[in-house]
């Protein structure tokens, strides 16, 4: 089993708890695969990613945030971002900063890991947006057969982010693989080949519409939970072939008053089309009450190629496509 840092953020809606991103180059090791919490705010594998690791003597660090998340069983857009930030190696990108307990995750397909949390343990919230201190030009370009521009956005605190404007389901570049090109202002011009692979959009197949009542589904803790999804595009391709995603499904049980995570059940799907959680695994969770709520969330992470950047950083960008929905957990009788 692996552990995910749990970085809680102040939020009332389920999509604010996510897992994966791109934070500085993420190393290709099993232990760092799920470095972020798939349910909380960010993770070195959440929609925010760093990419790999900083090499000794690096002159610049860069962080990427490539995320689209839906709430309400895929019907409501929650988070939509493509962001890049550059900063000095001894600085940070403004993300994370959180501290607290972690969610345990399984390593074997078709299995789950349960975590109970101390509701009184100290937690420190973390940010979900990258911020940089280095200006590298008026815009970055994501290039494939076309080009997606990430204009510079200056912030009141003096930081700068290169970001997709008007991000939406319609503008998000699903199932595409991009080179990242910098125009050479502040640092030499650069190209990071096939560094960003954006996953396909996800559609819900289960639960069915008729099972969703007032935005929630009711689930007995004595019966298996079965949720399904489909990829609405082919997988993105790199020169090494089609990208194979990493997926995780998490049920989080949370205190309603302050969105404090009380317990979580993380499951590694055994099929790309859905997850079946046994009653034995699901029964480890407690029933929801008027003071709590639960939600299920599928996170699909897609990695671009690891690229040695000219400024001395190993960049590996991870994108996240995710949807979630609220569950009423009942002791029995669904």
């Amino acid at each position: 089993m692996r552990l995910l840092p749990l970085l809680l953020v102040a939020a009332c809606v389920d999509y604010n708890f996510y897992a994966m991103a791109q934070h500085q180059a993420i190393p290709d090791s099993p232990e760092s695969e799920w470095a972020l919490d798939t349910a909380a705010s960010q993770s070195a594998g959440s929609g925010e990613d760093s990419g790999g690791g900083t090499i000794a003597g690096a002159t610049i660090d860069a962080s990427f945030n490539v995320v689209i998340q839906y709430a309400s069983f895929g019907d409501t857009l929650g988070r939509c971002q493509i962001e890049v930030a550059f900063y000095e190696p001894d600085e940070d990108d403004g993300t994370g900063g959180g501290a607290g307990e972690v969610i345990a995750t399984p390593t074997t397909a078709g299995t789950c890991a349960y975590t109970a949390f101390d509701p009184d343990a100290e937690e420190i919230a973390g940010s979900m947006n990258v911020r940089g201190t280095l200006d590298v030009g008026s815009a970055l370009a994501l290039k494939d057969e076309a080009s997606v521009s990430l204009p510079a956005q200056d912030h009141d605190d003096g930081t700068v982010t290169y970001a997709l404007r008007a991000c939406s389901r319609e503008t998000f570049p699903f199932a595409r693989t991009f080179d990242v090109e910098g125009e050479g202002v502040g640092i030499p011009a650069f190209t990071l080949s096939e560094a960003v692979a954006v996953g396909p959009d996800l559609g819900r197949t289960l639960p069915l519409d008729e099972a969703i009542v007032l935005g929630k589904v009711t689930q007995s803790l004595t019966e298996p939970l079965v949720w399904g999804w489909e990829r609405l595009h082919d997988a993105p391709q790199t020169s090494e072939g089609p990208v194979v995603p990493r997926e995780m499904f998490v049920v989080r049980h949370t205190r309603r008053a302050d969105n404090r995570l009380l317990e979580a059940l993380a499951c590694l799907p055994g099929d790309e089309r859905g997850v079946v959680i046994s009653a034995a695994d699901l029964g480890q969770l407690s029933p929801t009450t008027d003071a709590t709520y639960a939600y299920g969330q599928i996170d699909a992470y897609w990695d671009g190629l690891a690229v040695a950047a000219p400024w001395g950083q190993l960049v590996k960008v991870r994108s996240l496509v995710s949807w979630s929905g609220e569950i009423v957990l009942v002791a029995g009788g669904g």
Side-chain angles (χ1 to χ4, degrees):
M1 135 183 339
R2 300 176 189 149
L3 296 178
L4 300 180
L6 173 61
L7 310 182
L8 291 180
V9 293
C12 304
V13 284
D14 52 14
Y15 61 80
N16 280 316
F17 294 97
Y18 72 96
M20 186 282 62
Q22 263 135 245
H23 234 5
Q24 266 133 217
I26 299 173
D28 224 0
S29 71
E31 295 311 313
S32 65
E33 207 170 271
W34 298 101
L36 259 226
D37 164 23
T38 53
S41 92
Q42 321 182 230
S43 122
S46 81
E48 279 125 278
D49 173 30
S50 271
T54 299
I55 302 169
T59 57
I60 294 174
D61 272 356
S63 291
F64 293 75
N65 191 2
V66 184
V67 183
I68 188 164
Q69 294 181 295
Y70 307 106
S72 304
F73 299 95
D75 294 336
T76 302
L77 181 63
R79 189 172 184 212
C80 187
Q81 292 173 324
I82 299 181
E83 301 178 330
V84 187
F86 297 86
Y87 47 97
E88 302 285 354
D90 59 350
E91 298 176 334
D92 62 45
D93 61 6
T95 61
E101 299 176 89
V102 296
I103 290 177
T105 59
T107 57
T108 302
T111 64
C112 300
Y114 172 81
T115 310
F117 296 92
D118 179 356
D120 299 317
E122 182 180 4
E123 301 275 354
I124 301 174
S127 172
M128 295 190 294
N129 297 95
V130 297
R131 294 288 185 265
T133 56
L134 299 180
D135 183 346
V136 300
S138 61
L140 292 181
L142 303 182
K143 289 286 189 70
D144 56 0
E145 68 280 355
S147 182
V148 175
S149 180
L150 306 180
Q153 297 184 0
D154 296 318
H155 306 288
D156 292 341
D157 60 0
T159 59
V160 60
T161 303
Y162 294 84
L164 178 67
R165 291 180 179 167
C167 190
S168 68
R169 193 170 202 162
E170 291 69 34
T171 62
F172 201 75
F174 292 109
R176 293 168 64 181
T177 301
F178 295 101
D179 298 341
V180 182
E181 294 187 359
E183 59 191 36
V185 175
I187 63 173
F190 65 88
T191 299
L192 305 177
S193 298
E194 301 181 274
V196 177
V198 183
D201 200 3
L202 288 178
R204 168 176 51 87
T205 57
L206 290 173
L208 298 174
D209 288 347
E210 50 264 37
I212 303 171
V213 179
L214 299 177
K216 307 173 186 179
V217 296
T218 298
Q219 173 67 45
S220 170
L221 292 170
T222 60
E223 298 176 4
L225 180 151
V226 183
W227 280 24
W229 50 84
E230 60 182 342
R231 298 173 189 166
L232 302 182
H233 312 88
D234 292 334
Q237 299 268 343
T238 71
S239 56
E240 296 181 355
V243 178
V244 177
R246 295 165 173 83
E247 296 178 323
M248 189 67 70
F249 183 85
V250 182
V251 179
R252 296 173 178 80
H253 190 185
T254 304
R255 189 164 58 197
R256 194 174 294 278
D258 56 2
N259 300 295
R260 187 63 178 264
L261 188 59
L262 303 175
E263 54 183 354
L265 185 70
C267 301
L268 194 58
D271 190 296
E272 69 179 34
R273 294 165 297 182
V275 66
V276 178
I277 302 177
S278 70
D281 282 324
L282 193 65
Q284 297 175 86
L285 296 168
S286 304
T288 52
T289 68
D290 290 342
T292 67
Y293 68 96
Y295 62 95
Q297 180 170 311
I298 175 62
D299 294 320
Y301 304 100
W302 303 79
D303 290 352
L305 297 185
V307 182
W311 54 78
Q313 185 190 34
L314 180 62
V315 177
K316 185 178 181 182
V317 177
R318 180 168 295 169
S319 67
L320 169 65
V321 181
S322 172
W323 64 263
S324 62
E326 187 170 348
I327 308 173
V328 179
L329 299 173
V330 298

